[in-house]
Amino acid sequence: MKKPKVIVTRRWPLEVEARLADAFDATFNRDDIPLEQDELSAALAGADAVLPTVSDRLGARLFEGGIKAGILGNFGVGYNHIDIAAAAAAGIVVTNTPGVLTDATADLALTLLLMCARRAGEGERELRSGKWSGWRPTHLCGTHVTGKTIGIVGMGRIGQAVARRCHFGFGMDVVFFDQFAVTGLDFRARQLGTVDDVLAVADFVSLHCPGGGENVHLINAERLARMRPEAFLINTARGDVVDEVALIEALDARQLAGAGLDVFKFEPQVPMALRERDDVVILPHLGSATNETRIAMGMKVIENITTFFEGRQPPDRVA
């Protein structure tokens, strides 16, 4: 029986690529350079399945005609880089990889939170540059984490994992906003009525909502102005959730104390005004970047496309 033709748009962990090569007629991106729009179009026209990542922009125009692919097996839980309505209209199934990256992303959010609070990025840069003159009582004093209030925007799997770490690990009070009622939590938390309510009371605001749609610039100038001047904004969700221009202006005006960012609106481009700031910690989209997690994500994709080609419903279908 002829194996389905699969195109993988970026390099994946070797264990996953080996499994794909065994089960499918797989083509890999050996150079690991993001595909251009014409290359993505050719992939959709020539393969039975295309396996994209967040670095691939699949807008509505790519789904307008001449498509062979029946499924997009997205490598990641977020899929706002795919016009899923256009894909669905073209008869293409879209899947993602939920669940397996929860702990890694939650750990990374805590990394950013702690780095912001304790000015770890500043300290490392000072030490590496040879400018550290020794211990002194007023040197790089940050802010306490234990006992503070964490505000979660989006109380799904990752939001809950972050809240759980903050509550049990640091004795933090938890407040959160979610568009749905959230019950059955195994820790004490208060669900507030609006995003604004969370911003007004939290010492740390951690974003865990989907990107795209109505969440584009969810954190805008008006909402940033509602944050406490001692508070920090943490984003491991999607870059377009935060208006980066408004964030820079709010930091200049000292409307908040700082930010920890793992995602950016126009990745891999990051505004120089963010890169040069000492009150901002920036990481290159490392949320799920553990070997264990990336392998598990790839295996999730394989499970989804395998069930699709077997004529069954993929377990992680989003469109």
Side-chain angles (χ1 to χ4, degrees):
M1 184 175 178
K2 187 177 180 181
K3 295 180 179 179
K5 182 174 179 57
V6 171
I7 293 180
V8 186
T9 66
R10 298 301 297 266
R11 290 306 305 266
W12 288 14
L14 293 178
E15 298 90 334
V16 183
E17 289 190 347
R19 183 78 64 86
L20 284 164
D22 181 63
F24 304 98
D25 176 10
T27 299
F28 301 103
N29 183 348
R30 299 299 184 188
D31 295 327
D32 203 23
I33 297 172
L35 300 185
E36 300 291 343
Q37 289 291 291
D38 60 338
E39 294 174 302
L40 289 170
S41 181
L44 290 168
D48 299 298
V50 176
L51 312 186
T53 73
V54 68
S55 64
D56 303 303
R57 303 296 174 186
L58 293 111
R61 292 184 61 184
L62 287 180
F63 302 107
E64 289 178 351
I67 295 173
K68 178 183 179 183
I71 183 170
L72 296 176
N74 185 54
F75 187 96
V77 67
Y79 47 87
N80 62 303
H81 54 290
I82 302 170
D83 190 321
I84 60 169
I92 301 176
V93 170
V94 182
T95 63
N96 70 340
T97 62
V100 294
L101 47 69
T102 298
D103 287 330
T105 306
D107 290 348
L108 199 281
L110 262 293
T111 300
L112 287 171
L113 187 155
L114 291 167
M115 288 183 71
C116 286
R118 298 304 302 270
R119 302 176 68 177
E122 294 177 72
E124 186 188 36
R125 288 191 294 275
E126 181 180 285
L127 187 60
R128 286 183 182 276
S129 68
K131 295 179 180 178
W132 183 40
S133 61
W135 186 93
R136 55 193 188 275
T138 59
H139 181 233
L140 287 179
C141 290
T143 187
H144 220 45
V145 172
T146 298
K148 295 294 181 70
T149 297
I150 179 71
I152 304 291
V153 178
M155 200 62 149
R157 292 184 183 92
I158 299 173
Q160 290 183 32
V162 171
R164 190 174 291 110
R165 284 159 169 74
C166 289
H167 176 73
F168 290 114
F170 296 97
M172 299 178 78
D173 291 329
V174 178
V175 297
F176 70 94
F177 169 80
D178 196 280
Q179 60 179 325
F180 304 106
V182 178
T183 60
L185 298 174
D186 61 350
F187 52 89
R188 188 172 60 254
R190 291 186 294 131
Q191 182 164 6
L192 304 183
T194 68
V195 173
D196 292 349
D197 292 336
V198 171
L199 298 179
V201 300
D203 297 298
F204 301 89
V205 175
S206 194
L207 305 177
H208 302 286
C209 48
E214 63 184 10
N215 284 343
V216 172
H217 291 183
L218 177 73
I219 305 302
N220 54 25
E222 292 75 17
R223 287 204 163 110
L224 288 165
R226 295 181 183 276
M227 292 184 66
R228 302 172 64 247
E230 303 86 7
F232 296 86
L233 179 70
I234 310 298
N235 188 14
T236 56
R238 280 291 181 264
D240 63 5
V241 173
V242 176
D243 182 339
E244 292 175 347
V245 173
L247 175 60
I248 293 164
E249 292 174 352
L251 289 165
D252 285 339
R254 300 185 181 276
Q255 292 174 342
L256 67 162
L261 309 172
D262 185 48
V263 289
F264 306 90
K265 187 172 182 179
F266 300 109
E267 296 180 10
Q269 283 75 41
V270 179
M272 185 63 71
L274 289 175
R275 290 160 50 194
E276 292 180 337
R277 302 190 71 96
D278 278 334
D279 54 3
V280 175
V281 176
I282 53 176
L283 294 177
H285 204 147
L286 297 179
S288 63
T290 69
N291 291 324
E292 298 90 339
T293 298
R294 294 285 169 83
I295 291 171
M297 290 166 67
M299 296 306 178
K300 267 274 191 183
V301 175
I302 292 175
E303 178 186 8
N304 280 308
I305 64 173
T306 298
T307 56
F308 172 81
F309 288 124
E310 290 174 348
R312 298 183 287 120
Q313 184 72 255
D316 302 306
R317 182 173 182 172
V318 297

